[in-house]
């Protein structure tokens, strides 16, 4: 068939074949002009083709460089750095905060000196963690775009769709990366310190304050700036010390976030409905849908469980930081006012943090921080600072959500340990052990009686010694 005999639809399909067949560089502008019969603007199509060619040149992976460039563009838009005066003031605040904090916790000082950080520096330091947290969502969006393209394409174009899979993954992933960059860039205008968001964005043991945002935070509080700097520096050091001491804690938090994120799947019906009216020359609607969370369906039951676990973990961390900071800054006349301002700010979250929650489907606000702080205060009053901080030595010692609900059992265990005692097994423990044994169907082999024991005490299926009638009671480790 001669070119002049082709319909506009056939012309368009030929352009797509050239694009996916590697011959898009030689598209004839005159060929584009024939698309007017389909109501398509040839100039707009030329721009789209060029953008698609660039995306198709990729290898199907998400270009996170786009996120970094977008975030740095926003973070550095005012062109301001950290002045010598700001560094001096913060260095002095950190020095005094270090002394005060050493009186409030037995967790050791940092190995590296805390520092002032620009907004751009914060973006570069934290973006690897944002990428790790957002990658499951970006991959889900890219997969959904590919599936939607395959489902919508007619049978005679399925072969083209196979070649377009890599392209759609690149386009969808890159669009998400750009949106993530915008959100992280705006977040860099809000965060005051390294631990401000509540998750370990910086390497363990690193403490920073962003002077530009610190000034914005204190502007309307009517609190002396030196007191505000001391409080924020103390809180930041407490957060950094904790993650340096409990080296397992950072991985624990990140793994719980990624566990939640892996369960996120894009709402394909919403995506297809949006695609049906999508105008490539006006991408704002798709960007808004991504950032608003409109493409993310309601949480699954498994995600709700994972989110609850994460909220309890973050509340436990923030509650400890809150209590330790309050003890260390008790000399500050405005400490209570500053603490309430910080708690209120963390509970509400700024616009960028809310946008981040919509983008990745996760809100990083510890809803139970007040309850967790009350638990840590009860523990401190009962057994002191050293025993309290020892709960961070190993993961299995850390308080649970049940301890947040009712700290009395935790306090009783710690007090017994302080007296050199261990809680003994009671009837409830024995009944629970028997129930678990029945659930197992008594399939676990029963160990031989301990020949080394002079009494010949029986052992349970899990290897714990059990007291015989009239014998000494077994002791349960805390």
């Amino acid at each position: 068939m001669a070119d002049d005999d082709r319909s506009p639809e056939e012309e368009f399909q030929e352009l797509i074949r050239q694009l996916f067949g590697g011959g898009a560089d030689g598209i004839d502008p005159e060929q584009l002009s024939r698309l007017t019969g389909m109501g398509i603007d040839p100039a707009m199509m030329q721009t789209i083709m060029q953008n698609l060619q660039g995306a198709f040149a990729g290898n199907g992976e998400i270009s996170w460089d786009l996120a970094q460039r977008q975030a740095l563009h926003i973070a550095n838009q005012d062109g301001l750095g950290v002045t010598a005066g700001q560094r001096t003031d913060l260095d002095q605040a950190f020095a005094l905060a270090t002394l005060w904090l050493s009186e409030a916790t037995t967790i050791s000082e940092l190995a590296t000196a805390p520092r002032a950080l620009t907004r751009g520096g914060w973006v570069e330091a934290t973006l690897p963690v944002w990428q790790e947290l957002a990658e499951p969502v970006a991959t889900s969006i890219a997969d959904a775009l590919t599936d939607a393209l395959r489902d919508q394409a007619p049978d005679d174009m399925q072969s083209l769709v196979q070649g377009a899979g890599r392209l759609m993954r690149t386009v969808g992933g890159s669009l998400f990366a750009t949106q993530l960059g915008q959100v992280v860039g705006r977040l860099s205008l809000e965060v005051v310190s390294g631990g401000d968001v509540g998750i370990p964005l910086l390497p363990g043991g690193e403490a920073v304050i962003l002077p530009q945002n610190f000034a914005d935070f204190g502007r309307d509080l009517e609190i002396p700036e030196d007191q505000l700097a001391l409080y924020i520096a103390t809180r930041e050091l407490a957060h950094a010390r904790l993650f340096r001491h409990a080296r397992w804690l950072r991985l624990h938090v990140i793994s719980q976030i990624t566990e939640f994120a892996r369960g996120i799947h894009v709402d394909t019906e919403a995506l297809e409905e949006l695609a049906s009216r999508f105008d490539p020359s006006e991408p704002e609607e798709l960007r808004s849908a991504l950032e608003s969370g409109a493409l993310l369906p309601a949480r699954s039951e498994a995600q709700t469980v994972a989110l609850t676990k994460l909220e309890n973990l973050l509340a436990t961390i923030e509650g400890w930081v809150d209590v330790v900071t309050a003890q260390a800054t008790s000399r500050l006349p405005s400490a209570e006012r500053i603490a309430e301002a910080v708690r209120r700010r963390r509970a509400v979250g700024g616009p960028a943090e809310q946008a981040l929650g919509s983008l990745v489907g996760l809100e990083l606000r510890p809803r139970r921080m007040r309850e967790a702080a009350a638990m840590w205060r009860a523990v401190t009053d009962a057994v002191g600072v050293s025993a309290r901080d020892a709960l961070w030595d190993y993961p299995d010692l850390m308080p649970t959500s049940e301890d947040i609900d009712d700290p009395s059992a935790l306090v009783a265990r710690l007090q017994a340990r302080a007296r050199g005692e261990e809680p003994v097994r009671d009837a409830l423990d024995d009944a629970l052990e028997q129930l678990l044994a029945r659930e197992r169907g008594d399939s676990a082999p029963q160990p031989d009686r301990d020949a080394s024991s002079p009494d010949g005490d029986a052992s349970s299926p899990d290897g714990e010694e059990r007291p015989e009638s009239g014998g000494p009671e077994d002791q349960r480790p805390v």
Side-chain angles (χ1 to χ4, degrees):
M1 179 186 300
D3 290 348
D4 293 341
D5 296 332
R6 291 176 179 166
S7 67
E9 289 78 6
E10 291 170 331
E11 290 286 352
F12 180 71
Q13 290 189 21
E14 178 59 27
L15 285 174
I16 297 297
R17 290 189 181 93
Q18 291 185 34
L19 174 67
F20 296 136
D25 290 339
I27 291 178
D28 186 355
E30 183 180 348
Q31 192 178 14
L32 285 170
S33 68
R34 297 173 186 154
L35 296 176
T36 53
M38 293 180 64
I40 296 176
D41 179 5
M44 181 192 74
M45 181 55 65
Q46 180 72 57
T47 301
I48 292 174
M49 286 293 186
Q50 291 172 351
N51 291 336
L52 289 177
Q53 289 175 46
F56 194 60
N59 57 6
E61 297 181 355
I62 299 169
S63 176
W64 292 107
D65 289 343
L66 292 174
Q68 184 175 30
R69 288 198 297 270
Q70 189 70 27
L72 288 176
H73 173 73
I74 297 173
N76 297 327
Q77 61 188 356
D78 60 7
L80 297 178
V82 180
T83 67
Q86 289 173 327
R87 290 185 189 277
T88 300
D89 292 344
L90 288 178
D91 285 345
Q92 292 175 350
F94 275 127
L96 184 53
T98 298
L99 296 176
W100 286 2
L101 196 59
S102 295
E103 299 174 357
T105 178
T106 58
I107 292 180
S108 60
E109 297 181 16
L110 302 180
T112 57
R115 59 195 175 104
L117 195 65
T118 63
R119 291 166 173 169
W122 181 86
V123 166
E124 293 178 331
T126 63
L127 199 59
V129 177
W130 293 124
Q131 175 183 333
E132 183 179 357
L133 302 184
E135 191 159 16
V137 185
T139 301
S140 180
I141 288 176
D143 290 342
L145 283 172
T146 305
D147 293 342
L149 176 65
R150 183 174 56 249
D151 295 342
Q152 294 291 325
D155 292 340
D156 61 346
M157 295 188 69
Q158 285 297 322
S159 60
L160 296 179
V161 171
Q162 296 299 323
R166 186 176 66 180
L167 166 68
M168 296 309 296
R169 288 186 60 80
T170 302
V171 170
S174 297
L175 182 58
F176 181 89
T178 301
Q179 292 304 105
L180 176 67
Q182 290 184 359
V183 171
V184 172
R186 293 202 298 271
L187 194 59
S188 74
L189 308 181
E190 297 179 7
V191 293
V192 174
S193 62
D196 204 11
V197 181
I199 61 176
L201 296 172
L202 297 168
E206 187 169 355
V208 303
I209 288 180
L210 285 69
Q212 295 160 284
N213 300 344
F214 168 76
D216 293 339
F217 171 62
R219 185 164 291 120
D220 299 325
L221 294 180
E222 298 181 354
I223 294 173
E225 187 172 318
D226 57 342
Q227 292 191 42
L228 190 63
L230 266 171
Y231 187 93
I232 297 299
T234 304
R235 185 176 181 85
E236 173 65 4
L237 286 175
H239 192 272
R241 280 193 187 191
L242 177 59
F243 277 94
R244 178 178 180 269
H245 171 78
R247 297 185 185 278
W248 51 269
L249 187 57
R250 187 175 193 272
L251 179 61
H252 198 45
V253 174
I254 297 298
S255 63
Q256 289 203 15
I257 295 176
T258 53
E259 178 185 351
F260 172 87
R262 278 194 297 268
I264 294 177
H265 300 285
V266 172
D267 187 340
T268 53
E269 291 185 2
L271 180 64
E272 290 172 0
E273 194 274 333
L274 179 62
S276 66
R277 63 177 190 274
F278 178 59
D279 182 355
S281 64
E282 297 290 340
E284 203 56 43
E285 185 177 8
L286 180 55
R287 291 174 183 164
S288 299
L290 282 173
E291 192 169 322
S292 67
L295 298 182
L296 301 182
R299 295 189 187 103
S300 66
E301 183 176 347
Q303 279 186 298
T304 301
V305 171
L307 182 60
T308 301
K309 288 169 55 182
L310 176 62
E311 287 178 341
N312 287 329
L313 176 59
L314 294 178
T316 304
I317 294 169
E318 295 264 337
W320 182 89
V321 171
D322 197 49
V323 168
V324 171
T325 302
Q327 286 183 280
T329 58
S330 58
R331 301 176 179 86
L332 286 179
S334 302
E336 282 297 325
R337 290 179 57 201
I338 301 172
E340 185 57 34
V342 170
R343 283 193 292 266
R344 187 166 57 247
R345 182 171 177 270
R346 286 289 293 119
V348 175
E353 187 177 343
Q354 294 167 10
L356 177 70
S358 299
L359 189 65
V360 300
L362 178 65
E363 295 179 356
L364 299 173
R365 292 192 285 278
R367 303 177 188 278
R368 305 182 68 197
M369 191 178 77
R370 290 183 185 272
E371 293 89 339
M375 175 198 70
W376 286 117
R377 281 192 292 269
V379 169
T380 307
D381 293 342
V383 297
V385 168
S386 180
R388 177 201 67 195
D389 293 346
L391 292 174
W392 294 108
D393 289 349
Y394 302 101
D396 55 347
L397 296 179
M398 197 180 76
T400 64
S401 60
E402 290 78 11
D403 293 327
I404 296 178
D405 294 332
D406 181 12
S408 59
L410 173 62
V411 167
R413 293 198 303 271
L414 294 175
Q415 287 177 328
R417 180 181 298 168
R419 294 191 300 265
E421 304 170 0
E422 293 289 346
V424 297
R425 293 183 63 86
D426 55 20
L428 180 61
D429 293 320
D430 294 331
L432 179 60
E433 178 61 35
Q434 293 173 10
L435 177 62
L436 293 175
R438 285 197 297 271
E439 289 288 336
R440 292 193 296 264
D442 292 323
S443 59
Q446 297 293 330
D448 295 334
R449 295 171 68 87
D450 187 357
S452 65
S453 172
D455 300 328
D457 288 345
S459 298
S460 70
D462 61 1
E464 284 191 62
E465 293 183 353
R466 296 288 180 266
E468 293 186 347
S469 175
E473 292 184 302
D474 181 37
Q475 294 181 342
R476 179 183 61 183
V478 177

